[in-house]
Amino acid sequence: MLNIFQRFIKMLHFFLITIFSVVFLSSCRGDKSSEPPVHLIQNMMQQTSYGPQSHNDFYADKMSSRHPVPDTVAKGDAHLNSAFYEGLVSSKDGQDPSQFVKDFPIKLTPELLHVGQSKFNVYCSPCHGYAGNNDGLVTVAAGGSVRPTNLQDSNTIQMPIGRIYSAVKNGVNNWNMPGFSEHLTVEERWAIVAYVRALQLSRHASSNDITK
């Protein structure tokens, strides 16, 4: 008797599963529906969200976009290496604007010098000249009214490389020479500085500077 009952239960289960399957599959006919889909598990799918510069009554200024928290630094923008990013020596209190680095914070390679030559010819030579003698096309065309620094004079040769980097990055003389921070990467700025030093060495080197 028990076996018959168990067989009946199994048959009933099979019947119910069959009916459910038929009903379920019949509902998946691919017809379009104007009704929204049913999400049994919401998983935060239905939530309030705002687009850029959209209206939001929650804030007093009615704007959804919020200002960053003061002193927020984006990932990758910390720039804690002041020698590399600013050409300045670091102190306990931060960057020391009176102390420019004297040694390159980047490895000098032939590839870096090639980059420096290319960028120098584009951004610097129009005023300073290809050899750095302040005889570029702009200088000549200005008839002497534009007098950029002669990169071959003794003052510039003795100038710390950090100061040259600062000039390339920030400009000088109230932007009579503009800064090129928006046009050149940090590595490209240092490449220009390295090429300037190479130009100076090529003009003022002695036999003692030749490596054997």
Side-chain angles (χ1 to χ4, degrees):
M1 192 70 182
L2 182 60
N3 291 336
I4 296 175
F5 180 75
Q6 290 176 340
R7 292 177 61 185
F8 175 76
I9 294 299
K10 290 182 179 179
M11 291 179 62
L12 180 61
H13 285 171
F14 178 77
F15 177 77
L16 293 176
I17 291 173
T18 302
I19 295 298
F20 176 79
S21 300
V22 171
V23 173
F24 177 77
L25 293 175
S26 66
S27 65
C28 301
R29 294 175 296 176
D31 293 340
K32 295 183 179 180
S33 174
S34 59
E35 299 295 326
V38 177
H39 298 288
L40 299 178
I41 302 176
Q42 294 296 315
N43 245 355
M44 299 181 67
M45 296 180 66
Q46 304 296 332
Q47 59 177 317
T48 302
S49 60
Y50 297 90
Q53 306 298 327
S54 59
H55 183 85
N56 189 340
D57 289 323
F58 181 81
Y59 298 105
D61 59 4
K62 308 300 181 183
M63 296 295 296
S64 61
S65 300
R66 313 310 304 156
H67 294 289
V69 176
D71 300 324
T72 298
V73 178
K75 183 179 180 181
D77 290 341
H79 295 176
L80 299 178
N81 187 346
S82 60
F84 179 67
Y85 289 103
E86 302 296 336
L88 298 174
V89 176
S90 297
S91 64
K92 292 187 297 183
D93 299 325
Q95 301 169 355
D96 187 348
S98 65
Q99 296 293 325
F100 293 102
V101 296
K102 298 180 180 179
D103 299 317
F104 282 94
I106 189 173
K107 184 178 180 180
L108 300 180
T109 63
E111 293 75 18
L112 185 74
L113 286 176
H114 283 305
V115 172
Q117 181 184 30
S118 174
K119 299 301 180 181
F120 179 92
N121 290 343
V122 172
Y123 294 99
C124 309
S125 67
C127 292
H128 292 282
Y130 286 104
N133 294 316
N134 72 347
D135 57 354
L137 295 176
V138 173
T139 304
V140 174
S145 61
V146 177
R147 301 304 300 174
T149 299
N150 187 339
L151 302 179
Q152 300 292 356
D153 66 19
S154 58
N155 290 332
T156 309
I157 292 174
Q158 297 172 9
M159 187 180 295
I161 58 174
R163 186 173 179 181
I164 301 176
Y165 174 87
S166 178
V168 175
K169 177 179 183 290
N170 303 311
V172 294
N173 296 331
N174 295 320
W175 258 49
N176 286 332
M177 169 187 160
F180 298 104
S181 60
E182 299 296 328
H183 305 279
L184 300 168
T185 66
V186 179
E187 290 79 6
E188 289 170 343
R189 297 170 212 160
W190 281 116
I192 289 178
V193 176
Y195 183 68
V196 169
R197 278 291 188 251
L199 285 177
Q200 294 169 340
L201 287 173
S202 69
R203 290 284 303 277
H204 303 279
S206 65
S207 58
N208 296 327
D209 296 318
I210 301 176
T211 58
K212 296 181 181 180

